[in-house]
Amino acid sequence: MGAVLELRGLTKHFGGVKAVQSVDMKVEPGSITALIGPNGAGKTTCFNMITGHYVPTAGDLIYRGGEAEERLNGLRADQIAKLRIARTFQNIRLCPEQTVLDNVRIGFHTRSRSAPWQVLLNTPSFRAEEAEMTASARAFLEFVGLDASQETGIEALLADSLPYGDKRLLEIARALASNPSLLLLDEPAAGMNPQETETLMDLIRKVRDHGITVFLIEHDMKLVMEISDYVVVLDHGEKIAEGKPAEVRENPKVVAAYLGQEESDRRSERLTKVKLEESGADPAPETSASGGEATEASPDAVDGPTDEETP
Amino acid sequence: MTLPRKETRFLLIALVALLLLPFATMLLGDRAWLLSLSVGSYCLLYMINAQALNVQVGMTGLLNLGPIAFVGLGAYTGALMLTAGDNALIGFYAGFVPELSGHLRWVLFFLDPNFLAYLTVIPVAIVLSMLLSLLLGLPTLKLSGDYFAIVTLGFAQIFYLVVKNEAWLTKGSAGVTDVPALFSFCTGPNRIEFFSHTAHYFFGVAVLAVCLYVVVRLRDSYLGRGLLAVRDNELAAQSNGVNVAKYRMLSFMVFSALAALGGVAMLARAKFVSPNDLNFMESILFLCCVVLGGMGSVRGVLLGGIALGALGEVMRIGLPVVSETIGYEIPAQVRYVLFGMILILVMRYRPNGILPVAAEEHAGGLEKLGAHRDAEPTFFKLGTKG
Ligand SMILES: Nc1ncnc2c1ncn2[C@@H]1O[C@H](COP(=O)(O)OP(=O)(O)OP(=O)(O)O)[C@@H](O)[C@H]1O
Ligand SMILES: [Mg+2]
């Protein structure tokens, strides 16, 4: 079997902005693949196209995680979710007014088998499904490291009341609840302290060990270098490098791209510092700074569909 | 989950209390009894229609500014079917249901020709109302929520005008009068005093019970969780496999079905329906019940319905009395001013409604967090399909 996910010449333009430009890449089954790049490189836009929130301007998305090979272009987000592709969001998207447990249960949506009449009549099979789902939801909470015991646990708290790091974990639990074959994580470590990031790395490995292919976007280079099997680097919408983490780290193009980031993105400091002397590449601060600003100014535009995109 | 069970108890107690109300107030004498029935049945209509609207506005976050049109459709469908051809429908049932006498008449109430006719009317009203919501929803539900609100507002106005002007069908502004009562023993020579005053009230309680059942069942399922997800985070809903347009349609259709049922209950109470019943203010008052009670909260909206229903009817009956005693005519519209003031006060002091969903047991508990990070997972079912 080939790659779980294949991007072929994937392109997205927003008016004059070439957010993603003819990107080819593959995500191998059972791997942890990372998509990295400076702010505004087009990473989230790629994810949004994969999950059906944006319609690609050009190119193909081939998915082989389901029963048959599927072309994802033109499918709605909910149809793609049914193909067992789950995701988390860069700007956490939980249902803040609902309990932690209910947030996980939303993840089971694609797996519910009861018909509406069974719901209305509250049939034994429907009740059994609900009970199993609830137990399973607690198990997923525990799996991601959120205590789900009924006495001391957080399941009855409102999702909004969780600390930032826990919200990210809750989103992962919800995504896992849909029993995905491909899991997309958009900056899962953002806002986490080093200790939390450490735990997250273990969690991601654990997810992979359960046979789920993980495709993630991350700025934390330590995380990327340690856990990924394969890394793809975007800059200004174009793929500039790919390979094993060690290869990518040495790639002068990557170093150059990240150098330009130095001012605006402190998270990439570690990487750039190491490579600063040997490469001597030309920094290009003006481009990356503008990309970073756009992201800061309109988080919704970056992470959500715009009017033109609404199917 | 202690939440739903507590709620079930609350709802059951409320229904039993409503059932017992006429028997309790009977002890206070005839005047108080009739007043309690009048106020009580009026409250029931508000509770039913507000609960219907709660599915669409409260649970799905889809603003509907014309719910009264769907209630009106239910009432008009009932009225026209029941009166058609000189009460032909009732005549049809009277033809082959044995005529009962004495106490058997109300013990076997479900064999009453009038009641059978009402039961026939209900599914027709529901189906028509759902068809209408489908027609209205298909082109509009994909638009953003604001557009939908405007469409429903416009639709309710059009519905009002059609009902008022197409007299060949709807009897025009005079309305449909002399609609048969819920039971044959409610009127005429065979009348049983007690039931002639209470039948529509008990029918209202039954309809409310059905509404509550449907709403609670729906909410505690993947369907309801889909609706709530659409309300709280559309993007998250989509990514979890919820077809947003379909679920909006679902909420609209459930609303329209329950609202049509509410319309038939309204008809059973008044035995009369006219364009005046389709007043835009009614739509706003139903909405107020939902907002006052707490969006999506079944218990809260029930209380909201009681509060506004009681207030409305008490003022309708009380204002003329007050006007007479002080010798100054207080305009009937004063009650809308009062509603507005109450709404402002509630929104000021309880912005999430009287009984918001979230207020229950979720307060506090933050301090419990943090220490449980290392818990080893004991049970997971990753990677197993189904
Ligand atoms: N809906 C949109 N409308 C217009 N422009 C957009 C939209 N979404 C993204 N862009 C633009 O596309 C470019 C790529 O954005 P994207 O969010 O994919 O970057 P990113 O790599 O995820 O960056 P970050 O690391 O900051 O999250 C940016 O210039 C952004 O402003
Ligand atoms: Mg991004």
Side-chain angles (χ1 to χ4, degrees):
Chain A
M1 213 172 90
V4 174
L5 183 72
E6 203 176 323
L7 279 57
R8 287 190 196 147
L10 196 66
T11 302
K12 180 74 195 177
H13 295 173
F14 295 104
V17 180
K18 294 177 175 169
V20 175
Q21 188 62 38
S22 199
V23 169
D24 295 288
M25 69 166 288
K26 286 179 180 180
V27 178
E28 295 299 332
S31 71
I32 297 177
T33 303
L35 184 61
I36 65 170
N39 287 122
K43 307 180 296 292
T44 299
T45 305
C46 279
F47 269 27
N48 282 343
M49 284 189 278
I50 296 166
T51 56
H53 291 105
Y54 288 167
V55 180
T57 309
D60 269 329
L61 286 158
I62 310 296
Y63 173 66
R64 297 191 193 84
E67 274 112 65
E69 182 173 307
E70 296 267 355
R71 201 164 158 268
L72 299 181
N73 309 45
L75 294 184
R76 282 193 319 267
D78 57 284
Q79 293 169 320
I80 289 171
K82 291 198 176 90
L83 296 173
R84 299 176 62 209
I85 299 180
R87 75 173 287 181
T88 64
F89 293 88
Q90 183 172 353
N91 314 326
I92 300 171
R93 291 186 184 270
L94 294 165
C95 297
E97 301 285 295
Q98 294 184 43
T99 64
V100 168
L101 191 68
D102 280 337
N103 267 282
V104 183
R105 287 201 284 194
I106 295 164
F108 287 92
H109 193 85
T110 51
R111 296 165 73 185
S112 302
R113 296 281 168 271
S114 302
W117 67 267
Q118 288 173 312
V119 170
L120 262 193
L121 298 183
N122 201 18
T123 60
S125 74
F126 166 68
R127 267 180 290 170
E129 188 182 80
E130 284 286 305
E132 194 187 338
M133 188 184 299
T134 305
S136 191
R138 291 199 178 105
F140 278 116
L141 279 175
E142 221 155 286
F143 183 78
V144 300
L146 295 172
D147 178 34
S149 68
Q150 260 164 303
E151 277 69 46
T152 58
I154 60 169
E155 63 167 52
L157 293 179
L158 294 186
D160 207 25
S161 67
L162 293 187
Y164 199 76
D166 285 358
K167 284 185 184 166
R168 291 221 172 268
L169 294 178
L170 178 54
E171 239 198 347
I172 295 176
R174 181 178 70 188
L176 289 175
S178 67
N179 185 26
S181 116
L182 174 64
L183 175 65
L184 308 181
L185 302 172
D186 197 344
E187 301 199 19
M192 286 190 173
N193 62 37
Q195 201 186 330
E196 286 175 317
T197 306
E198 207 61 48
T199 328
L200 176 72
M201 282 159 55
D202 290 340
L203 173 63
I204 295 173
R205 287 197 195 98
K206 210 163 67 177
V207 168
R208 190 258 327 264
D209 293 344
H210 277 90
I212 297 171
T213 308
V214 179
F215 186 21
L216 61 89
I217 295 173
E218 189 47 68
H219 280 293
D220 187 321
M221 282 309 138
K222 183 168 173 295
L223 183 146
V224 170
M225 293 303 157
E226 275 186 38
I227 69 169
S228 355
D229 302 309
Y230 202 74
V231 180
V232 176
V233 190
L234 290 187
D235 189 23
H236 297 300
E238 290 181 49
K239 184 175 78 178
I240 57 166
E242 65 180 315
K244 295 249 175 325
E247 301 164 16
V248 166
R249 194 182 359 214
E250 305 299 327
N251 191 315
K253 274 194 197 165
V254 178
V255 177
Y258 270 89
L259 260 179
Q261 273 283 114
E262 199 181 24
E263 304 289 84
S264 60
D265 190 353
R266 300 191 61 216
R267 280 172 291 189
S268 58
E269 230 168 61
R270 241 166 293 157
L271 182 81
T272 51
K273 257 189 193 150
V274 178
K275 300 293 156 198
L276 193 63
E277 305 86 25
E278 7 183 319
S279 73
D282 218 314
E286 73 283 350
T287 42
S288 57
S290 69
E293 252 168 48
T295 327
E296 298 291 86
S298 56
D300 252 42
V302 173
D303 210 5
T306 52
D307 292 332
E308 59 142 339
E309 293 300 332
T310 314
Chain B
M1 294 299 291
T2 51
L3 196 64
R5 221 177 299 139
K6 219 165 129 191
E7 182 194 72
T8 312
R9 211 182 325 140
F10 178 98
L11 296 179
L12 282 177
I13 292 174
L15 284 173
V16 171
L18 284 168
L19 272 182
L20 293 180
L21 179 80
F23 300 100
T25 52
M26 221 162 27
L27 307 173
L28 301 173
D30 275 358
R31 265 196 73 154
W33 187 57
L34 290 177
L35 185 73
S36 77
L37 283 171
S38 161
V39 175
S41 57
Y42 194 72
C43 286
L44 279 168
L45 298 181
Y46 271 76
M47 287 189 261
I48 294 163
N49 294 327
Q51 207 60 249
L53 201 57
N54 191 22
V55 174
Q56 194 176 19
V57 179
M59 290 183 188
T60 320
L62 202 56
L63 186 56
N64 181 341
L65 290 174
I68 192 63
F70 294 86
V71 177
L73 182 76
Y76 263 95
T77 307
L80 294 174
M81 277 180 73
L82 288 167
T83 54
D86 227 355
N87 303 354
L89 192 60
I90 291 171
F92 166 75
Y93 282 116
F96 59 86
V97 180
E99 190 145 352
L100 302 166
S101 59
H103 288 312
L104 268 187
R105 278 182 298 165
W106 62 268
V107 174
L108 298 178
F109 67 88
F110 43 87
L111 288 180
D112 189 274
N114 287 36
F115 190 58
L116 287 172
Y118 267 92
L119 288 187
T120 317
V121 157
I122 287 173
V124 179
I126 288 178
V127 168
L128 275 182
S129 183
M130 287 171 87
L131 275 180
L132 193 68
S133 65
L134 193 70
L135 275 179
L136 204 60
L138 275 181
T140 51
L141 282 175
K142 282 189 182 164
L143 303 174
S144 91
D146 307 343
Y147 291 104
F148 177 77
I150 303 295
V151 167
T152 50
L153 176 65
F155 170 73
Q157 275 329 94
I158 292 168
F159 185 79
Y160 169 80
L161 289 175
V162 167
V163 165
K164 197 166 173 183
N165 294 315
E166 299 303 310
W168 58 273
L169 177 68
T170 62
K171 310 282 194 304
S173 32
V176 188
T177 50
D178 295 324
V179 176
L182 196 54
F183 294 100
S184 58
F185 50 77
C186 283
T187 47
N190 293 326
R191 176 178 134 114
I192 303 177
E193 188 67 22
F194 178 76
F195 287 110
S196 71
H197 292 297
T198 54
H200 65 86
Y201 177 86
F202 289 125
F203 182 66
V205 177
V207 169
L208 177 65
V210 170
C211 273
L212 290 173
Y213 178 82
V214 170
V215 173
V216 169
R217 282 269 69 81
L218 183 76
R219 188 202 54 196
D220 294 341
S221 72
Y222 70 96
L223 296 168
R225 284 192 286 274
L227 299 181
L228 291 170
V230 168
R231 177 192 71 182
D232 287 348
N233 202 322
E234 222 176 285
L235 223 70
Q238 287 176 333
S239 309
N240 284 287
V242 180
N243 182 342
V244 173
K246 197 168 127 190
Y247 271 72
R248 282 178 168 175
M249 187 54 108
L250 172 76
S251 78
F252 195 15
M253 291 183 76
V254 172
F255 152 76
S256 63
L258 297 179
L261 204 53
V264 177
M266 181 170 107
L267 182 72
R269 177 181 189 263
K271 287 172 273 178
F272 165 68
V273 60
S274 79
N276 285 339
D277 296 322
L278 305 178
N279 191 334
F280 172 65
M281 274 319 287
E282 294 297 310
S283 289
I284 297 304
L285 289 181
F286 296 152
L287 270 173
C288 284
C289 296
V290 177
V291 176
L292 280 182
M295 304 271 263
S297 158
V298 176
R299 279 181 280 183
V301 171
L302 195 75
L303 293 180
I306 295 181
L308 286 196
L311 198 68
E313 187 69 352
V314 165
M315 286 184 74
R316 192 186 64 78
I317 298 170
L319 270 185
V321 180
V322 176
S323 296
E324 208 170 301
T325 38
I326 64 172
Y328 172 75
E329 179 77 27
I330 303 173
Q333 267 65 20
V334 162
R335 68 189 176 119
Y336 293 135
V337 176
L338 200 73
F339 284 142
M341 274 160 53
I342 290 175
L343 197 63
I344 290 169
L345 285 177
V346 171
M347 288 301 103
R348 168 69 183 77
Y349 293 103
R350 295 202 64 115
N352 293 322
I354 310 172
L355 210 70
V357 184
E360 258 84 359
E361 29 241 80
H362 310 314
L366 254 183
E367 67 281 355
K368 291 176 191 163
L369 296 177
H372 317 290
R373 253 326 126 59
D374 326 305
E376 263 307 301
T378 51
F379 164 78
F380 40 76
K381 283 170 63 179
L382 291 168
T384 54
K385 179 138 179 127

